Amino acid sequence: MQRKLLRGETKRRPPTKTSDATLLRRCQELSAKHLNGRAEPASVRWVPPMRTRWASCTPSDRSIRVSEHLRDVPSWVLDYVLVHELAHLLVAAHNARFWALVRDYPRTDRAIGYLEGLSAAAGLGITEED
């Protein structure tokens, strides 16, 4: 199942998936496009696989950490995760205001489904509520 989920993605990783600097640039692009440029992370970096989350955000220092579990997902799934974390720079809670921001990303529901399938197939136990 996991191979099926990852099929179709190129074998060579796009720069976003190899460099923290390009990950930060991608966040800036996504913030401009989906959050009117209001979410400005100070840092965005890849971190060793997290046990319970795909990514995390600390609004107080504007840092975002992205699990290496996501290095091989399609770009549109990674973009969703980045928009999700960027929205936390504006709204800390998973409330209606937060989800209104995230849902500006057009593939939100599809990406959530992809991540749920990936978590189940890999036995990770990661859910969207985390």
Side-chain angles (χ1 to χ4, degrees):
M1 177 69 166
Q2 188 174 15
R3 282 191 302 270
K4 281 185 179 183
L5 290 171
L6 297 174
R7 188 181 310 144
E9 194 66 3
T10 60
K11 291 186 189 216
R12 195 177 124 249
R13 289 184 177 148
T16 304
K17 295 186 179 183
T18 59
S19 161
D20 291 349
T22 54
L23 199 59
L24 176 61
R25 277 195 298 279
R26 184 62 183 154
C27 280
Q28 292 164 340
E29 293 167 2
L30 291 166
S31 176
K33 185 172 183 177
H34 300 288
L35 302 167
N36 297 320
R38 294 180 297 143
E40 300 176 7
S43 68
V44 184
R45 61 189 170 90
W46 290 105
V47 296
M50 297 181 199
R51 291 180 15 170
T52 61
R53 299 172 188 219
W54 296 115
S56 64
C57 173
T58 305
S60 61
D61 67 5
R62 299 180 6 254
S63 66
I64 295 173
R65 289 154 310 285
V66 182
S67 173
E68 289 182 349
H69 280 305
L70 298 178
R71 284 196 187 264
D72 294 321
V73 300
S75 295
W76 56 270
V77 175
L78 178 59
D79 283 353
Y80 157 74
V81 172
L82 295 175
V83 168
H84 181 112
E85 298 309 324
L86 288 165
H88 278 307
L89 293 176
L90 304 173
V91 179
H94 284 127
N95 59 23
R97 186 169 160 240
F98 168 83
W99 283 109
L101 293 170
V102 173
R103 293 209 179 275
D104 187 71
Y105 181 69
R107 291 184 167 182
T108 293
D109 291 330
R110 188 174 176 196
I112 289 170
Y114 183 101
L115 291 169
E116 287 173 351
L118 180 61
S119 177
L124 299 174
I126 298 173
T127 64
E128 190 58 32
E129 291 81 41
D130 290 337

